[in-house]
């Protein structure tokens, strides 16, 4: 195997891990909403798009009003999109999503899921067109000095040079740190216990004094916030527009299904898998066929392991 081929494979592998970490973060946001609320949110990609624009204008605001400069400024703005989009998600759930989920959807039985699909699709269309009116259709991105620089890692006695884009590297580290913080919140905190109880058995949680409706609002807000942060991180490497959410909502659902429906850790590894397949496929396929490679692998994994990486096998009765 030639040094050039080894370098190309390693470069694609590293790029896949870095992009996959961001994909994993956005998948976790969707998995959190589905795992706790059992709501299929087709507007998740569009909320991610709103997070991209929010991060863009927050970065501009930090740069002009507060005088923040340097490579850290974009990431401060991106992290601030989390609390902002949490408030948006919390409010939207209280005003709209709560009408077709939770105890209300239980009374509607099977019809409740149809109402959720129609409502979230309607929200997606409204958000897309509102963004088009407000921001226009031109491509924009979050500029950072790190995007045009890279760490150089010599390997094999200098015969192979590995280049790691600094913006992608920092974005991947922030993604992993966000996942760790979210895991601690869900697994160790009092709020996390309430969220898990509301997901496992809403009726029993209600009898134990947990406000299930409030837990669902918090879960929806956190899910939107996490995906918005992922969108902001992605915007430091790729340009975006008001309809960019359509492209990535497919990635989110593929990652959630690969990881196992309702598994937060599985969703992260599902997103990582998509990132790796996407980047490694460029070694043998044109860039335009990246998504084709993703769904070929997706279908193979679903065929041989329908429950996903971390899903439970359904018990036979």
């Amino acid at each position: 195997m030639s040094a050039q081929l080894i370098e190309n494979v390693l470069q694609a592998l590293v790029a896949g891990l870095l992009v996959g970490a961001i994909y994993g973060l956005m998948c976790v946001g969707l998995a959190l909403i589905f795992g706790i609320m059992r709501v299929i949110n087709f507007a998740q990609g569009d909320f991610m798009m709103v997070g991209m624009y929010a991060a863009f204008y927050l970065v501009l605001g930090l740069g002009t009003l507060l005088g923040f400069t340097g490579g850290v400024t974009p990431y401060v703005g991106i992290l601030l999109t989390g609390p902002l989009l949490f408030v948006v998600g919390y409010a939207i759930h209280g005003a709209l999503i709560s009408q077709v989920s939770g105890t209300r959807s239980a009374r509607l039985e099977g019809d409740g899921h149809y109402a959720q699909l129609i409502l979230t699709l309607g929200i997606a269309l409204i958000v897309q067109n509102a963004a088009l009116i407000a921001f226009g259709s031109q491509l924009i991105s979050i500029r950072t000095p790190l995007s045009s620089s890279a760490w150089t890692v010599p390997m094999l006695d200098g015969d192979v040079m590995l280049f790691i884009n600094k913006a992608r590297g920092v974005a991947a580290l922030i993604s992993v740190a966000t996942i760790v913080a979210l895991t601690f919140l869900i697994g160790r905190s009092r709020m996390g216990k309430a969220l898990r109880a509301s997901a496992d058995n809403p009726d029993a949680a209600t009898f134990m004094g947990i406000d299930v409706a409030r837990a669902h609002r918090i879960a929806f807000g956190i899910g939107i916030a996490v995906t918005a942060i992922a969108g902001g991180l992605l915007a430091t490497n790729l340009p975006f527009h008001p309809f960019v959410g359509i492209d990535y909502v497919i990635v989110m659902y593929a990652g959630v299904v690969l990881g196992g429906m309702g598994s937060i850790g599985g969703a992260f590894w599902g997103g990582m898998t998509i990132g790796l397949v996407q980047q490694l496929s460029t070694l043998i396929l044109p860039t335009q066929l990246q998504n084709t490679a993703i769904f070929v692998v997706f279908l193979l994994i679903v065929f041989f392991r329908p429950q996903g990486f971390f899903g439970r096998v359904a018990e036979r009765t």
Side-chain angles (χ1 to χ4, degrees):
M1 185 180 291
S2 66
Q4 184 62 49
L5 179 59
I6 294 175
E7 181 177 319
N8 291 340
V9 172
L10 289 176
Q11 196 68 55
L13 185 63
V14 170
L17 290 173
L18 298 181
V19 174
I22 303 175
Y23 286 173
L25 184 61
M26 67 173 68
C27 291
V28 165
L30 182 62
L32 184 65
I33 291 174
F34 180 81
I36 294 176
M37 299 174 51
R38 300 295 188 267
V39 169
I40 301 173
N41 182 22
F42 280 113
Q44 190 77 4
D46 299 290
F47 286 122
M48 185 191 78
M49 175 269 296
V50 173
M52 289 176 162
Y53 279 102
F56 177 79
Y57 286 107
L58 281 171
V59 170
L60 289 180
L62 290 175
T64 57
L65 298 178
L66 302 180
F68 286 3
T69 58
V72 71
T73 303
Y75 301 103
V76 174
I78 289 167
L79 291 176
L80 289 177
T81 62
L84 179 61
L85 268 293
F86 171 83
V87 174
V88 172
Y90 191 94
I92 288 178
H93 181 278
L96 298 173
I97 305 296
S98 62
Q99 306 302 315
V100 294
S101 63
T103 56
R104 290 178 180 267
S105 65
R107 289 196 297 268
L108 293 173
E109 297 182 351
D111 295 337
H113 295 292
Y114 299 128
Q116 292 170 8
L117 295 177
I118 294 171
L119 177 61
T120 55
L121 282 172
I123 292 173
L125 291 173
I126 292 172
V127 172
Q128 288 170 12
N129 288 280
L132 181 63
I133 294 171
F135 307 120
S137 59
Q138 67 273 17
L139 291 172
I140 60 175
S141 62
I142 299 175
R143 297 181 180 179
T144 166
L146 300 181
S147 299
S148 57
S149 59
W151 291 296
T152 304
V153 181
M155 302 180 69
L156 300 179
D157 296 328
D159 293 333
V160 174
M161 299 298 292
L162 193 62
F163 299 95
I164 303 175
N165 183 272
K166 291 182 179 181
R168 285 188 174 183
V170 173
L173 290 175
I174 293 175
S175 297
V176 173
T178 304
I179 291 293
V180 171
L182 183 62
T183 301
F184 180 83
L185 175 68
I186 299 297
R188 299 293 182 88
S189 70
R190 185 179 181 87
M191 179 191 300
K193 292 178 181 179
L195 294 177
R196 287 185 284 118
S198 300
D200 293 339
N201 194 325
D203 293 331
T206 301
F207 292 135
M208 294 300 294
I210 296 174
D211 188 343
V212 174
R214 180 174 178 271
H216 284 181
R217 286 195 296 273
I218 292 173
F220 192 82
I222 293 176
I224 297 298
V226 168
T227 301
I229 292 174
L233 294 173
L234 197 65
T236 60
N237 295 284
L238 298 172
F240 58 93
H241 53 82
F243 296 96
V244 71
I246 299 174
D247 299 327
Y248 289 103
V249 74
I250 300 174
V251 171
M252 292 182 211
Y253 275 103
V256 170
V257 173
L258 284 178
M261 298 295 284
S263 172
I264 295 176
F268 177 75
W269 291 112
M272 288 286 289
T273 301
I274 291 174
L276 285 169
V277 171
Q278 185 184 68
Q279 297 300 317
L280 289 173
S281 66
T282 59
L283 297 173
I284 56 176
L285 295 174
T287 305
Q288 296 86 346
L289 295 180
Q290 283 182 341
N291 287 340
T292 302
I294 290 172
F295 285 104
V296 168
V297 173
F298 171 78
L299 290 174
L300 289 174
I301 294 175
V302 170
F303 180 77
F304 290 105
R305 188 174 173 80
Q307 71 274 21
F309 294 145
F310 294 89
R312 297 179 181 178
V313 179
E315 297 181 358
R316 297 181 178 179
T317 57

